[in-house]
Amino acid sequence: PIILSVTDNQDPVTDAIAPNGTTNDTTPSLSGTAEANSTVEIFANGISLGTTATASDGTWTFTTPAGAALTADGAYSFTAIATDGEGRTSGDSAAFVVTLDTTAPDAPLIETVTDNHGSVTGSVAPTGTTNDITPSLSGTAEANSTVEIYTNGAFLGETTAAGDGSWSFTTPGLTGDGTYSFTAIATDAAGNASVPSPPFEVTLDTTDPDAPRIDSVTDNQGSVTGPVALNGTTDDTTPGFAGTAEANSLVEVFADGVSLGTATADTAGSWSLADSEITLSDGTYAITAVARDQAGNISSTSEPLSITVDTTPEDPEPPPSDGTRRQPADPLYLSQWHLNLLDDQGDSEWAIEKIWSEYTGAGVSVGIYDDGVEYSHSDLDDNYDATRHLSYLGEVLDAAPTLSLIHI
């Protein structure tokens, strides 16, 4: 006789088993051909499983009875012998070998969920957030097993593990913001299904955050520091900014569209950028901010705030045409130090027409002028040192005797 097929009748995989294939069915069915009206006896590894009669066309079928069920995982070689009506017996059929595997595979693992959409892409941490409605999943399972993917218990699709057990799957589309718990089940070639994998939970967030607010500007430079009035003026070329935004969002600050840096809002939504990362030149700027949440959604631009950066000292008034010395009207003049530069060409004294405009009583902070010509202190430390010098047109001038300090 000939054994043409062995069939698996045990869920979840039911179908014909290929020669040398695998099954989890301990009572598989066999079919084949033999002499018409003969009796066919079926053997597994030489042990009789039972008999069946052939039809008039020579076909026969046989289902392993429960009492003769295959009892242990391993390879089984099925053979058949036919006996005709006169008792003559054929030789053994060719063997049809299958492997019984009733052991479920280990639970697969979901190792990564990957965001492939928007400004923030890459791996999503467990319990993390994504704005990708079709994230990719990957992990490991029994080699060559079929991996079914579920989210919140609903079937999403399946993929096949490679020979090394690795697998990947792209979700067909999540519907609606919220929490999604991904699990996987592996089914081996014999049809044994694993228990579900540990869940991998992510939150889908496709909603843009509200526009952030810029609530304050801070001057951190020079002798006058602190808050800058909104739409005000500062001499700080790297001012600080602060405001509110969605909790834990990343806030990027711009001046006329050029990024000044980023700051992360805390759990209460407060954020601050201590100093601009870009040095601003003199001029008026529209300061705006944009917030990006943890899922990668980007807000609209904040309401603009105008500030003016002005680091240019005021020009001195021209000296009197008659050459007389001007006495500033500012009463603070009497309590401040003045510098006189002696003319080395004669006895006339050059009047310094502008004192240090940011003089604090302790040191030098800005340049001084002599009839409109600016001199600058070569060392802008906070403490004035008479041994230090002034420079004029790149030439260092001695502090004494050419320079003298006179308190009026």
Side-chain angles (χ1 to χ4, degrees), residues 87-151:
R88 294 188 293 266
T89 301
S90 71
D92 292 343
S93 68
F96 195 117
V97 178
V98 300
T99 297
L100 177 66
D101 176 7
T102 61
T103 303
D106 292 336
L109 292 176
I110 301 175
E111 296 175 338
T112 61
V113 175
T114 303
D115 183 319
N116 305 299
H117 173 74
S119 60
V120 178
T121 59
S123 296
V124 182
T127 70
T129 305
T130 178
N131 65 346
D132 188 353
I133 63 172
T134 58
S136 299
L137 286 70
S138 61
T140 56
E142 182 174 301
N144 307 308
S145 62
T146 299
V147 181
E148 296 178 337
I149 309 299
Y150 297 81
T151 183

Side-chain angles (χ1 to χ4, degrees), residues 176-392:
D177 287 3
T179 300
Y180 289 84
S181 180
F182 292 104
T183 55
I185 293 175
T187 301
D188 63 18
N192 303 297
S194 73
V195 297
S197 69
F200 195 119
E201 188 174 284
V202 300
T203 297
L204 177 66
D205 176 7
T206 60
T207 303
D208 292 340
D210 293 336
R213 290 177 50 187
I214 303 173
D215 296 325
S216 65
V217 181
T218 302
D219 183 317
N220 304 302
Q221 182 174 301
S223 61
V224 179
T225 60
V228 178
L230 299 183
N231 304 314
T233 301
T234 176
D235 65 347
D236 188 349
T237 58
T238 58
F241 304 92
T244 56
E246 181 175 302
N248 305 309
S249 62
L250 184 70
V251 179
E252 188 167 11
V253 181
F254 299 85
D256 291 345
V258 177
S259 178
L260 301 181
T262 59
T264 301
D266 61 21
T267 54
S270 298
W271 62 268
S272 64
L273 179 64
D275 291 288
S276 165
E277 297 173 5
I278 302 296
T279 300
L280 300 176
S281 56
D282 284 8
T284 299
Y285 296 88
I287 307 299
T288 56
V290 171
R292 185 181 71 199
D293 65 20
Q294 291 180 311
N297 303 299
I298 298 176
S299 75
S300 57
T301 302
S302 69
E303 289 294 325
L305 180 152
S306 177
I307 65 167
T308 297
V309 176
D310 182 3
T311 61
T312 304
E314 295 181 1
D315 290 334
E317 294 182 25
S321 58
D322 60 4
T324 60
R325 182 169 182 168
R326 181 187 302 110
Q327 179 81 1
D330 188 344
L332 291 178
Y333 182 85
L334 297 179
S335 64
Q336 295 180 341
W337 288 92
H338 301 270
L339 184 67
N340 288 275
L341 180 64
L342 301 181
D343 182 5
D344 59 3
Q345 301 299 317
D347 295 332
S348 61
E349 181 178 312
W350 292 0
I352 300 303
E353 300 298 344
K354 182 179 178 182
I355 62 173
W356 290 284
S357 62
E358 295 183 11
Y359 184 78
T360 64
V364 178
S365 58
V366 297
I368 60 173
Y369 290 82
D370 171 28
D371 292 342
V373 178
E374 182 177 3
Y375 293 78
S376 61
H377 198 280
S378 59
D379 187 330
L380 299 182
D381 278 358
D382 286 337
N383 297 306
Y384 179 77
D385 184 344
T387 64
R388 296 186 179 127
H389 308 287
L390 294 180
S391 60
Y392 170 55

